Structure formats: structure tokens, C-alpha cells
Amino acid sequence: MTDAPDTVFSPDAFSPDVAIIGAGPAGLMAAEVIAAAGRSVAVYERMPTPARKLLLAGRGGLNLTHSEALDAFTARYGAQAPLFADLLADLSPADLRDWAAGLGIETFVGSSGRVFPVQMKASTLVRAWLRRLEGLGVTLHTRHRWLGWDEQGALHFQRGDGTETTVAPRATLLALGGASWPRTGSDGAWTELLAARGVDIAPLRPSNMGFEVPWSDHLRERFAGQPVKSVGLAFADRRLKGEFVITETGIEGGAVYALSAPLRDAIEREGWAALTIDLMPDLPESAIAKRLRRRCAESLSTFLKKSLSLTGPRAALLREFTPASELSDPAALARHIKGLSMVLTGVRPIERAISTAGGVRLAELDGSLMLTRLPGIFVAGEMLDWEAPTGGYLLQGCFAMGARVGKGVLGYLGAESLPGLPPP
């Protein structure tokens, strides 16, 4: 490796037992488990401060996990449900709430079943967590960008001032995130470094993202930014009730994110996908048609408002996607109200997505999340090839992976016992 002329290159005076690259939920949870067992741990983060993505996710209230039954919870991980059934045995949603309580963070269950800190802040939890890690002896090195390995197999970093350093730990955990929200530090650059070592990586794709819809100028100008509440959404064999937001380019929001994986896959195959919207999920089609037959001389918008309380964005969507010839036919209009077909023509870019699908294929790992072709190198978090909807499932998955990989690292180092999380 040839260094730039103005680069200072020096090894760290101290190399820890374990180096963790990435200060997100998975990396910090693993650091806690490992340090609690008495091992020296150093965490390296490319950004100026740790847990950037966790803090960003918690701006409107940190959704830590979900309170639904564990079998239903596990099913949210789709094809990877067997893996997460195993991981959640190490750190369940109830365990995560107990862990937060140990940090002094009381949680509550919202009306949707989601679990939040009472203070609705991520910053309070992160500060308390960092204090605990500091008390366990974990050292944090910010502004350290991982460049790969040197010829001797040591980890190679570039510091924020342009100087470089190497670290030679006994074990390494990579928890670098995916490629969504790159301003938080997760830009997916690690894919090239691991691929060069022969690690099989599924292409990174957006997950929990918005979709593009070719709006009319009228709808875009009048309704972009407005929520569409209390509607039903359906695609393929999945149905749910929720809300979404009309954007300049299409749609986004919680109900859309819950269907984002199959919608994305369909668009990748066909170039489009038809999302079905029930504008009035609490009223049967027959009752809607009966009310629509009472229309007299009043305008359609006035009649829909008076007879069905159908106004604003929902009424605008009905007009947008119903053929003009069917707007005056009560039976046809009722069918569209209960099953409006919205054609999605594209997927929003990965850097605008909430999370990432793809990454290190699970076949590359053993049960402790160590790369089988690179002994001593572990991987956790969003770097792995899995995805889950929003609602607490993403964070719970990362925390559980951190707990599992922490135990795996201890086992690799020869710990006599594999402890769980430290008591609160």
C-alpha cells in the first residue's frame, strides 16, 4: 500500500481484544456484552459522534420495539423469520425494555402497540448508554474511516485529520450499516472491501422507502405533503389499514413501508406495480353504492362530502384514478372507493430509504455471525441480508444481533461462559 505524501501513518500504541467498526445499535450492544465480560473493546466510528442514525430515527419519538406476541413479531422478518426467532431468544422485546429501564429510560406501549421511551427522545437513551459503556472501559474513536486491512492483516483507518493508523485486535466486529441515510455514515462502501475478500454480498436495495406515482399537476400542487388517513392498502396477498403521505414524486409513510418489499420486487420485475387502496375500509361496498344512488343535481365533490364524508386527499385520489366516464355511475364509483388502483412506476433512491435490503448473505456466516471464510471477523446489523418493516422491528433486530454477536465474539476469544446482557 502506498501512502499519500502528506499522510502520517502510525500504528495505535494499544490494540484491544475486540475492535468494533460502527457505533450504531448493533455495534454498541455488542460492545456492552463483550466489555461486561471483562474484555477490552474499542469502537471506531467514521462520523464525529456515535449513533447518528439512531438519533435521527428518534427525532419524532424513538420506536424501540413492538409489544405484539412473539410469534407474530417474528413473522415480520419474512424469509428470515427462523433466524430472528433464534436471535430474539437472546434479546426479546421484553428484554429490550428491561435493558432500557436499566439505563433509566422508562418505556410505554402506544395505541398501535409500538414501544417508545416516555420522554420520546433518542438522545437521552444514547447519553445514558454511552456513560454505561464508558464505565465498562469501552473506548470510542470517532472520525475514523475504515479503509480495510493492511498487508499484515491489521485494520487500517484514516482519521479525520488525514493521518492513518492500524489496529490489530484479536477479533473484529463490522457493524457499518447499509446504504440508506448516508449522511449518518452508512454509505455501503464496505461492500467492495468484503467482496475483494471473497465474501458473497447481495446487492444493496432500498427498503421501507417511498414510491413514485405520475401525479397530475393538479394533485401534486394541491395535495403534496398531505396525509391520507384511515385507509386500507392491499398488494398481492397482504392487506393492512393505516395511512400514508402524498409527496411531490409519489407516496411514502408507514402503511406504504409495510408493503415496500413486495412492491419493490414487483417493480424490479415488471417496471410497475398496482397498489389497491380502500378509501373507506369501515364501510361495505353495498352501503357505499346505496348512498351514491341518492345523488341529485349537486356537484360530485359536494355530494361525496355530504353522503360519505369523503373529502381532501382521499377525494382527490378518487378523481385522480377513476375514469371520468365512471364518476357518475354509483356502482362503478363504489367499486373504485373500495378498491382504487394506484399505479406505482418507480422506487425512491436508496439514500432516501429508511433502511436497506441486501448485504452479506447469511450463508457466509456461522451461528455466532462470524464470517466462515474470515475467522475472527464478525458482522451484524444492517450489513446483513435481511429486512423488516418499521414499527420497532428494525431496531429490535439490530439490538438482538448485537447481543448474539457479542456472545459469539466471547466464544471465539475463549470465554469460559457466554453471559447475557449485564443486569440493569
Side-chain angles (χ1 to χ4, degrees), residues 56 127 155 179 241 274 280 283 306 327-328 345 350 362 368 389:
L56 184 60
R127 283 195 297 269
L155 298 171
K241 186 177 178 180
M280 303 193 70
L283 198 62
K306 289 172 57 179
L327 288 172
S328 57
T345 57
I350 194 169
L362 298 178
S368 66

Side-chain angles (χ1 to χ4, degrees), residues 138-272:
V138 175
T139 59
L140 175 63
H141 304 270
T142 58
R143 295 186 172 90
H144 275 62
R145 184 184 183 92
W146 182 52
L147 302 178
W149 293 270
D150 68 7
E151 287 95 346
Q152 289 74 44
L155 298 171
H156 180 195
F157 295 94
Q158 183 180 61
R159 302 186 184 97
D161 62 4
T163 61
E164 297 182 12
T165 187
T166 57
V167 180
R170 295 180 59 194
T172 298
L173 167 60
L174 304 178
L176 291 150
S180 62
W181 293 357
R183 68 182 184 277
T184 65
S186 54
D187 60 4
W190 54 265
T191 56
E192 296 182 7
L193 297 173
L194 291 186
R197 294 274 175 140
V199 177
D200 190 12
I201 298 171
L204 297 181
R205 306 152 74 199
S207 181
N208 292 297
M209 65 294 180
F211 292 88
E212 295 176 355
V213 180
W215 299 126
S216 65
D217 291 340
H218 170 77
L219 190 139
R220 181 185 299 107
E221 292 168 3
R222 288 283 305 276
F223 297 99
Q226 294 194 29
V228 182
K229 298 184 177 181
S230 300
V231 295
L233 297 182
F235 182 75
D237 58 348
R238 295 202 57 193
R239 295 179 177 274
L240 56 90
K241 186 177 178 180
E243 64 181 71
F244 61 90
V245 176
I246 296 172
T247 69
E248 291 272 346
T249 57
I251 57 173
E252 62 181 37
V256 174
Y257 300 152
L259 298 172
S260 63
L263 286 169
R264 177 201 61 216
D265 294 347
I267 291 172
E268 288 178 353
R269 289 192 310 268
E270 309 293 338
W272 62 278

Side-chain angles (χ1 to χ4, degrees), residues 292-307:
L292 291 175
R293 284 194 290 268
R294 300 171 183 166
R295 181 182 177 186
C296 299
E298 56 202 337
S299 69
L300 179 62
S301 58
T302 299
F303 180 66
L304 290 175
K305 179 179 180 179
K306 289 172 57 179
S307 63

Side-chain angles (χ1 to χ4, degrees), residues 18 33 152 224 266 285 313 377 414 416:
V18 182
V33 171
Q152 289 74 44
E285 183 177 326
I377 308 297
E416 293 183 2

Side-chain angles (χ1 to χ4, degrees), residues 11-46:
D12 271 6
F14 167 74
S15 287
D17 290 332
V18 182
I20 297 175
I21 307 177
L28 294 180
M29 182 61 77
E32 181 173 339
V33 171
I34 297 165
R39 297 290 184 174
S40 59
V41 180
V43 178
Y44 297 87
E45 167 61 44
R46 64 171 288 194

